[in-house]
Amino acid sequence: MISSDVIRGYNDTIILYLLLEKESYGYEISKRIKELSDEKYIIKETTLYSAFNRLLKKGFIQSFHKEQTFGKKRTYYKITEAGLLYYKEKCREWELTKEVINRFIKE
Amino acid sequence: MISSDVIRGYNDTIILYLLLEKESYGYEISKRIKELSDEKYIIKETTLYSAFNRLLKKGFIQSFHKEQTFGKKRTYYKITEAGLLYYKEKCREWELTKEVINRFIKE
DNA sequence: CCATTTACTTCATCTGTCGTAGTAATTATA
DNA sequence: TATAATTACTACGACAGATGAAGTAAATGG
């Protein structure tokens, strides 16, 4: 299991990646993270929803509703152009970070 | 430059790595991080010293003084057995973290 | 002799994570 | 048919780690 302090800088990036695949909503995204990480990272609900708010405020995602006939109303999110740029920047940063941290890791 | 949120989970690990090389003190460690990272990561003084206190409290490092004839008194640190174990654990975790985050990074 | 570098320390603030708890609807199970 | 579990959130408060600002103190460089 991965500790949250480690992944802290990448929660937003992870969410943006999944929204790049397709527009989605909280519960689905949390399932997808669990699935894609082989259960090695399970994001906390509160962490996820506070990330959504942060990303909304920064204009990296947009929220909307779909007409549903049943079930509790979902808030859907999609990535914006600015969000895509931010995601790409984070990807480059990640390559650099890997390289740098590797220098302080033994075998 | 690497943002601090990304490296947050690895400051302690980086410090332990350098103390594994040899016992050292704050200023020297900060220079070494800058050097080893090719200036791509420069740790803030306050971050460094608060990390020392955290590591001391956890018993991962020990502090001591050397007799000096001049200069401001330095506080030296060395890694403990528990610190070494923690370091090794963090190295394993890092491999896992890399693998997982990579799944959310494009190209 | 004054600036810079070395080598810290204290304090207050901010951000992101997380625990707890609550709401509300649907679906599974006994 | 009652209730437990699952889906899908929201609100709130606490906490840890990073950081900015400022201060202290000694040695060294120009």
Side-chain angles (χ1 to χ4, degrees), chain B residues 4-94:
Chain B
S4 54
D5 244 6
V6 172
I7 222 144
R8 191 190 180 99
Y10 279 89
N11 274 327
D12 291 8
T13 312
I14 287 171
I15 293 165
L16 291 176
Y17 171 81
L18 294 175
L19 291 179
L20 210 64
E21 279 190 335
K22 71 179 184 70
E23 56 191 36
S24 186
Y25 56 95
Y27 202 74
E28 195 177 48
I29 286 185
S30 79
K31 295 282 142 184
R32 195 94 180 87
I33 291 174
K34 193 175 158 186
E35 186 192 320
L36 256 181
S37 73
D38 288 324
E39 320 248 325
K40 273 158 200 147
Y41 181 48
I42 292 161
I43 196 166
K44 300 286 182 308
E45 282 179 274
T46 36
T47 302
L48 181 61
Y49 291 108
S50 85
F52 280 143
N53 289 324
R54 191 168 50 243
L55 291 166
L56 277 171
K57 219 182 278 173
K58 289 182 182 168
F60 295 157
I61 60 173
Q62 274 172 358
S63 66
F64 62 100
H65 290 276
K66 278 185 178 173
E67 324 79 66
Q68 292 169 232
T69 36
F70 48 83
K72 209 191 169 186
K73 209 186 238 177
R74 294 170 185 156
T75 306
Y76 278 85
Y77 300 95
K78 62 179 163 193
I79 191 168
T80 64
E81 197 56 40
L84 177 61
L85 288 176
Y86 176 76
Y87 172 76
K88 284 181 177 170
E89 193 190 307
K90 276 289 171 177
C91 287
R92 282 193 297 278
E93 191 195 77
W94 170 241

Side-chain angles (χ1 to χ4, degrees), chain A residues 9-12 14 17-18 21 35 42 51 58 66 75 96:
Chain A
Y10 279 89
N11 274 327
D12 290 8
I14 287 171
Y17 171 81
L18 294 174
E21 279 191 332
E35 187 192 319
I42 293 161
K58 289 183 182 168
K66 280 185 178 175
T75 305
L96 186 62

